[in-house]
Amino acid sequence: MKDVLAYIDQNLDDRLDLDSLAKKASVSPAHFSRVFKQLIGMNITDYIAEKRIVAVKELLLNSKDKINAIAEKCGFESMPHFYRTFKKQTRMTPASISKTIIPRLIILLGWTVMKRISRIHAASDRLIPVAQRTRQSFQRTYNSS
């Protein structure tokens, strides 16, 4: 399996499908698919798409190439499929990544980390009024004594 994963990493720009990868591993496509999902935790199509999107994000941040050229370099043959996959995995468009700093942080930190940060901010927004009310109550009690 390590050889197949290395092959995927080195050949993201090629056409990668279940049959060809199973042939490389010398097993049937059904067996390969089942074992891949057990070991990696996702199906082969999702894994390849995720690896390609990671490569796209890196190129969007580090190169001046156009989006369609980057998508093609990373193995996406269809632009509509690329945009749909990109939006599904990152919750943003490819163009928005190169336009603002916040998407760069989301890419660098990961979407789940950003969600946690936003939850922390939301929780602190709820706690600030509580702390203010507590302080005001304490001040009234202290001043009346």
Side-chain angles (χ1 to χ4, degrees):
M1 192 57 71
K2 287 181 184 178
D3 294 337
V4 172
L5 294 175
Y7 178 80
I8 291 170
D9 285 342
Q10 295 167 0
N11 297 288
L12 284 175
D13 57 336
D14 291 343
R15 190 163 194 271
L16 299 170
D17 61 8
L18 178 62
D19 291 334
S20 64
L21 293 172
K23 196 176 285 185
K24 284 221 170 286
S26 302
V27 295
S28 73
H31 180 71
F32 180 82
S33 179
R34 185 174 49 256
V35 170
F36 190 91
K37 178 131 184 169
Q38 286 173 348
L39 293 175
I40 305 301
M42 63 175 55
N43 69 39
I44 187 71
T45 306
D46 291 343
Y47 178 81
I48 292 169
E50 192 167 306
K51 293 295 267 184
R52 285 179 171 159
I53 293 298
V54 168
V56 166
K57 290 189 289 188
E58 288 176 11
L59 287 173
L60 283 171
L61 292 173
N62 299 317
S63 80
K64 300 288 184 193
D65 292 343
K66 294 189 181 267
I67 293 171
N68 60 346
I70 290 173
E72 190 176 308
K73 280 183 190 176
C74 294
F76 288 97
E77 297 173 1
S78 160
M79 289 308 291
H81 173 67
F82 162 68
Y83 278 103
R84 194 171 37 254
T85 304
F86 192 93
K87 183 105 179 188
K88 178 182 172 187
Q89 287 191 10
T90 64
R91 298 182 183 160
M92 65 182 70
T93 63
S96 67
I97 286 188
S98 55
K99 290 184 181 177
T100 64
I101 190 125
I102 297 299
R104 290 175 189 232
L105 288 174
I106 292 171
I107 289 168
L108 295 173
L109 296 175
W111 182 255
T112 55
V113 172
M114 291 303 291
K115 285 195 307 190
R116 287 185 195 135
I117 290 170
S118 67
R119 282 192 212 124
I120 290 168
H121 284 293
S124 66
D125 290 344
R126 288 190 302 271
L127 291 175
I128 289 171
V130 171
Q132 289 171 344
R133 286 193 306 269
T134 304
R135 185 179 56 222
Q136 290 167 354
S137 173
F138 176 76
Q139 286 172 341
R140 273 181 282 180
T141 306
Y142 182 73
N143 291 337
S144 65
S145 301

